[in-house]
Amino acid sequence: MNEMMNDNRYWTTGPRLNPEQMTVHLPSPGNHTTRVKAGFVVLVRNSELNEMIQSMNDVEHRFNKNFNYPWLFLNEEPFTEEFKERTTIATSGKTYYGFVDESMWSYPTWINQTQAAEAREIMKGLPYGSSESYRHMCRFQSGFFWRHPLFLELNWEYYWRVEPSVRYYCDLDYDPFLYMKENNKKYAFTISFVENSGTVPSLWHTVRNFVTATMKSKQNYFDRPLKDTIYRFITDYVAKDYTQCHFWTNFEIARSDLWRSDAYQSFFTYLDMTGGFFYERWGDAPIHSLFAAMYLHKDEFHYFHDIGYKHSFYQHCPESETLHDQCYCDPGKTLDYGDPMSCLSRYMNALMPDEHDKDITIGEFLQLPE
Ligand SMILES: Nc1nc2c(ncn2[C@@H]2O[C@H](COP(=O)(O)OP(=O)(O)OP(=O)(O)O)[C@@H](O)[C@H]2O)c(=O)[nH]1
Ligand SMILES: *[C@@H]1O[C@H](CO)[C@@H](O)[C@H](O)[C@H]1NC(C)=O
Ligand SMILES: *[C@@H]1O[C@H](CO)[C@@H](O)[C@H](O)[C@H]1NC(C)=O
Ligand SMILES: [Mg+2]
């Protein structure tokens, strides 16, 4: 700790309610010779090649040129030779190209496609509400990327999700994978967001139904004491509604085995059976976030304060003077605590003890009343 202070590798942050949360310590550069079994995973279309190269350039220049982690690209169409050539040249690490077949990208037999088409018509005013491919994408990112044959073969302990057209603004002099491994972190994010556009109307109830059904069959997957979880990120004191808060999955560093757990596989299967990916427009972000919030200990999350990041209009730019020399963004434009679309205050508050925390498991808390 002292060493870090001398190093000036810390700064003060919000939210103002929680004084204990106000100091952020940067991981020290640490061991640059050890590598974690890990890499970047990207679902991307051939048509997004230029945007992909741009994202790769950022990731490589800010971080990976010193670490040489591999990249895995996935697509439900075969990648073109041009795509493979240019992305291979763009990185210092190895590249892998995987095909996503119909077992992971098509309608399950139980989906009524007439009803799905009607749903797209009804939701056409919502973001991607009329898109069929977006729904397959969200379902794939929720239920399948982590069991794609090539992903399994690579056997990565951690993955870092990247998308085309994202920006990384800060130089990273340490290895986030190693940081996560050494600190027993299982899920990390840079942007937490609230979106109330009506794409997941029945998701919360479905999640609570799942918890209720599994508890009835004496299988409590969510048996952590409520106070050890970040439940206040996803709901209120009585579990009435979903806050709509989620971590943006377009940046995500997580342990692969989080999704391979019995709990998640059973959770995903249950959600998938209800058809919500197609009859509504469930995103992988709320699904990953809800599960992680229910399943993980609060200490197993990590917010990368120091990773400046932008996706579409929104960005996180570290407010730290310590990082001025290594970030290329405007802290005045950060989402963090000022923007109403940010859920960061809620996240930070959820990490803190609260007088309302009941002495029960989160499974018991989320179970629907008889
Ligand atoms: N192979 C493939 N990738 C897709 C498809 N749809 C989306 N993706 C990828 O899935 C990720 C998210 O999709 P986007 O369409 O960019 O959605 P978004 O990022 O939520 O929205 P934007 O702000 O419009 O970029 C990106 O990595 C896309 O490249 C698809 O039909 N096929
Ligand atoms: C880094 O870790 C490796 C493997 O644990 C070890 O052999 C090496 O000595 C370490 N290097 C430093 C600088 O700590
Ligand atoms: C499929 O959905 C349509 C439209 O909602 C409905 O009319 C039809 O009866 C459904 N088919 C089946 C087999 O349930
Ligand atoms: Mg995008």
Side-chain angles (χ1 to χ4, degrees):
M1 193 72 83
N2 263 336
E3 197 184 312
M4 288 184 203
M5 302 266 197
N6 293 338
D7 240 6
N8 219 14
R9 292 175 68 88
Y10 72 100
W11 73 92
T12 302
T13 180
R16 311 310 164 201
L17 284 178
N18 288 327
E20 296 93 69
Q21 290 290 333
M22 286 176 61
T23 305
V24 178
H25 291 278
L26 271 186
S28 58
N31 191 327
H32 270 232
T33 55
T34 310
R35 291 289 176 275
V36 179
K37 272 190 86 63
F40 303 97
V41 61
V42 195
L43 177 74
V44 57
R45 291 167 281 220
N46 285 307
S47 60
E48 295 170 300
L49 176 56
N50 289 324
E51 294 84 350
M52 190 66 244
I53 297 290
Q54 182 253 285
S55 294
M56 289 180 79
N57 282 344
D58 272 13
V59 172
E60 290 290 327
H61 287 126
R62 303 281 171 256
F63 164 68
N64 202 41
K65 63 171 193 260
N66 298 320
F67 293 86
N68 322 120
Y69 278 103
W71 290 78
L72 169 60
F73 300 93
L74 299 172
N75 189 355
E76 90 291 5
E77 288 179 2
F79 282 113
T80 61
E81 285 311 310
E82 188 195 3
F83 188 98
K84 291 194 238 180
E85 278 165 23
R86 288 185 56 200
T87 49
T88 300
I89 295 168
T91 171
S92 56
K94 282 195 177 144
T95 50
Y96 301 90
Y97 302 88
F99 177 67
V100 175
D101 69 20
E102 282 183 358
S103 69
M104 302 185 167
W105 195 289
S106 62
Y107 285 103
T109 51
W110 59 88
I111 296 295
N112 177 338
Q113 293 190 38
T114 313
Q115 194 185 332
E118 286 172 0
R120 293 198 298 278
E121 180 60 25
I122 292 165
M123 295 188 123
K124 69 183 175 204
L126 306 180
Y128 296 100
S130 63
S131 172
E132 193 172 22
S133 66
Y134 198 88
R135 286 178 170 76
H136 287 293
M137 181 274 286
C138 292
R139 181 170 175 263
F140 176 79
Q141 297 286 28
S142 302
F144 299 100
F145 80 90
W146 42 270
R147 50 178 152 171
H148 185 279
L150 196 47
F151 192 96
L152 291 177
E153 199 180 309
L154 290 166
N155 197 23
W156 289 342
E157 193 177 358
Y158 290 84
Y159 68 89
W160 180 336
R161 175 158 148 197
V162 176
E163 290 194 358
S165 296
V166 299
R167 298 300 317 268
Y168 283 85
Y169 291 130
C170 302
D171 293 331
L172 272 184
D173 60 3
Y174 68 95
D175 180 346
F177 292 125
L178 192 58
Y179 171 80
M180 289 190 63
K181 192 173 158 83
E182 288 181 341
N183 292 280
N184 196 29
K185 302 293 187 185
K186 305 215 166 130
Y187 190 92
F189 65 96
T190 58
I191 290 183
S192 57
F193 203 72
V194 59
E195 191 171 358
N196 227 334
S197 57
T199 52
V200 297
S202 75
L203 179 58
W204 183 244
H205 194 73
T206 308
V207 166
R208 293 194 67 187
N209 274 338
F210 171 74
V211 175
T212 309
T214 49
M215 298 273 287
K216 270 216 183 81
S217 58
K218 300 274 176 279
Q219 175 66 272
N220 187 359
Y221 288 123
F222 308 105
D223 58 359
R224 289 187 190 283
L226 195 56
K227 65 175 171 40
D228 290 344
T229 72
I230 60 161
Y231 77 97
R232 278 175 278 109
F233 181 69
I234 57 168
T235 190
D236 53 24
Y237 295 123
V238 291
K240 186 162 177 292
D241 292 312
Y242 176 34
T243 56
Q244 310 289 325
C245 283
H246 52 272
F247 305 117
W248 260 7
T249 47
N250 43 71
F251 169 100
E252 182 173 78
I253 306 183
R255 273 187 74 100
S256 311
D257 65 6
L258 177 57
W259 315 123
R260 297 204 189 111
S261 59
D262 288 345
Y264 187 74
Q265 300 211 26
S266 165
F267 177 76
F268 171 77
T269 304
Y270 186 92
L271 298 186
D272 198 27
M273 291 297 293
T274 68
F277 288 102
F278 298 105
Y279 303 144
E280 294 182 3
R281 209 231 66 202
W282 291 355
D284 55 291
I287 286 170
H288 284 195
S289 305
L290 285 167
F291 179 81
M294 288 153 59
Y295 190 69
L296 294 178
H297 191 283
K298 45 170 84 165
D299 295 342
E300 293 174 326
F301 286 92
H302 184 65
Y303 169 38
F304 277 106
H305 290 268
D306 52 326
I307 296 189
Y309 178 73
K310 183 178 186 198
H311 173 273
S312 67
F313 307 112
Y314 295 101
Q315 62 177 287
H316 163 65
C317 181
E319 63 194 311
S320 157
E321 298 216 344
T322 312
L323 292 175
H324 270 181
D325 295 341
Q326 64 195 68
C327 292
Y328 308 86
C329 57
D330 177 358
K333 292 201 178 132
T334 197
L335 200 65
D336 296 14
Y337 300 110
D339 195 301
M341 299 310 276
S342 173
C343 268
L344 190 54
S345 287
R346 199 180 266 280
Y347 168 78
M348 298 293 262
N349 288 327
L351 293 176
M352 306 305 292
D354 187 282
E355 60 186 45
H356 295 89
D357 290 352
K358 296 195 188 81
D359 198 13
I360 51 175
T361 67
I362 184 159
E364 289 165 318
F365 175 66
L366 293 178
Q367 200 172 6
L368 290 162
E370 288 285 313

